Amino acid sequence: EFAAEDFILDEEVTVILSRDGWLKRVREIKDLSATRLREGDAVLAALRGSTKDSLAIFSNLGSCYVIRINDVPASTGYGEPVQKLLNFRDGERVVAALVTSGNGPSAVPDGTLAIALTRRGFGFRFNLDPHRELSTRAGRRFAKPAEGDEVVGVLPVAPKDVLCVVTADARALVCRAEDAAELANPGRGVTMIKVADGDEVGGFALGKPKDEAVLVAELENGKKLPIGPGRYQVSGRGGRGHVLARKAKVVRGHIPVEEPAESPKLVN
C-alpha cells in the first residue's frame, strides 16, 4: 500500500517561524540570532524535529494548521510566508507553533495540554492530541474568541505551572495555570485577568512556582521589569493584577528565545 511518508527522508532539522509569519527549515543552526529575518521581524518559534513529524501552527483567529515538517520550505534565506502553504483569512496571523508528533527534542508528549490567552484576558486549556493529525489547508478550530478579540498565544502547560500575564497598561497577574478552564471544544474560555477599556494583554509566559523572572515586561523607556511568582504573590484568576509602573506603557512581554531545542516559552 502506498504511503507518502515512506518516501520522506527521516532527517532531524530545525523549523524557524517568525512573528510576521515567515517559515523555513534548516538542517542545523548554531546561532539563532544570526538567522535571516526581514527588517522589524523577530523569531517566534525555533523547533527541532524530524522531517516526518507534525508541525502545528496556531493563529490569532483560533485556527490550528497542521503540516508535516517535510513540507516546510528548506531555506537559508527568509523562508516563505505561511499564506503560501495555508488558507489564511483576512487579518489572520501566526501566534505560536509546536511540534505535536515524534520523539524529537521539541515534540510535546501524548496527552499534553496547551493554554491559550486572548487580548481581552480570556484563557483556557485544551488537549493537543487532536492537533497531531495533518489538517487541510483550511485548518481546524481550537478557539472561538469573541467578536473584536483575538488569541495572543498558545503554550504547552504542565500541571504545576504558574501563569504570568502582563497588560499594555503595566499591570501583571500571577496565577496557577490550572485556573484556566479545560475545554473539550473550541470556545473563548474564562477571564484570567480583568482588562480595562483601552487596555489589552501584552504578553504571557509559564514558569515554576519559585521562578523570579518568568516574563519580562519591557516599558516604552526601555526599562525591563521581571515578573514571576518569586516576586509577586500568586493570586486567583480574574483580578486586575499588580501595578508594575504608574503612567507607563508596556511595549511587550517576553523571554528571549535562546535554544532551538525546546519550544520557546513566550508569547508577545
Side-chain angles (χ1 to χ4, degrees):
E1 185 178 349
F2 173 79
E5 187 176 344
D6 295 340
F7 294 86
I8 297 174
L9 176 65
D10 190 352
E11 179 182 28
E12 190 170 281
V13 296
T14 296
V15 173
I16 299 173
L17 176 65
S18 82
R19 197 165 54 200
D20 288 346
W22 289 78
L23 186 65
K24 64 183 176 182
R25 63 178 164 92
V26 295
R27 284 193 175 182
E28 61 180 350
I29 185 162
K30 295 179 180 178
D31 182 6
L32 189 58
S33 64
T35 192
R36 292 191 66 187
L37 295 167
R38 291 180 175 272
E39 186 175 353
D41 203 357
V43 173
L44 178 65
L47 306 166
R48 194 79 178 156
S50 164
T51 45
K52 293 189 175 185
D53 292 347
S54 297
L55 176 72
I57 298 172
F58 300 88
S59 85
N60 62 321
L61 299 185
S63 289
C64 177
Y65 304 85
V66 186
I67 62 175
R68 193 172 278 114
I69 288 180
N70 186 68
D71 294 329
V72 174
S75 173
T76 56
Y78 301 126
E80 297 287 347
V82 292
Q83 291 89 338
K84 290 189 69 172
L85 301 173
L86 311 169
N87 293 340
F88 270 32
R89 292 167 282 171
D90 290 342
E92 192 165 14
R93 54 186 177 78
V94 298
V95 295
L98 296 170
V99 177
T100 53
S101 72
N103 300 309
S106 296
V108 294
D110 291 352
T112 298
L113 298 183
I115 188 168
L117 257 69
T118 75
R119 290 281 177 207
R120 292 185 177 175
F122 289 89
F124 63 91
R125 292 174 297 148
F126 64 101
N127 199 310
L128 287 170
D129 286 351
H131 304 293
R132 299 181 188 281
E133 297 296 326
L134 301 182
S135 71
T136 65
R137 288 173 59 96
R140 60 175 69 96
R141 301 285 285 180
F142 74 93
K144 286 185 178 180
E147 184 72 26
D149 199 5
E150 65 176 355
V151 175
V152 297
V154 174
L155 292 173
V157 59
K160 294 184 179 181
D161 276 354
V162 175
L163 173 71
C164 297
V165 189
V166 65
T167 75
D169 282 348
R171 301 192 74 96
L173 184 133
V174 180
C175 69
R176 297 177 304 170
E178 63 184 18
D179 288 349
E182 183 179 343
L183 302 184
N185 298 303
R188 74 173 188 173
V190 295
T191 301
M192 300 306 295
I193 182 170
K194 194 174 292 183
V195 178
D197 291 342
D199 195 9
E200 64 179 23
V201 170
F204 74 93
L206 296 168
K208 301 306 175 187
K210 295 184 179 180
D211 289 348
E212 295 211 349
V214 174
L215 182 67
V216 176
E218 186 175 333
L219 304 183
E220 285 178 316
N221 61 9
K223 188 175 182 180
K224 297 179 180 180
L225 304 175
I227 304 165
R231 293 175 180 269
Y232 295 95
Q233 182 178 0
V234 177
S235 64
R237 67 167 182 85
R240 291 200 62 195
H242 307 275
V243 177
L244 297 178
R246 298 192 180 277
K247 297 182 179 180
K249 288 289 185 180
V250 171
V251 178
R252 63 182 182 134
H254 70 97
I255 292 177
V257 182
E258 295 179 353
E259 297 295 334
E262 298 181 358
S263 304
K265 288 218 164 186
L266 90 131
V267 173
N268 64 301

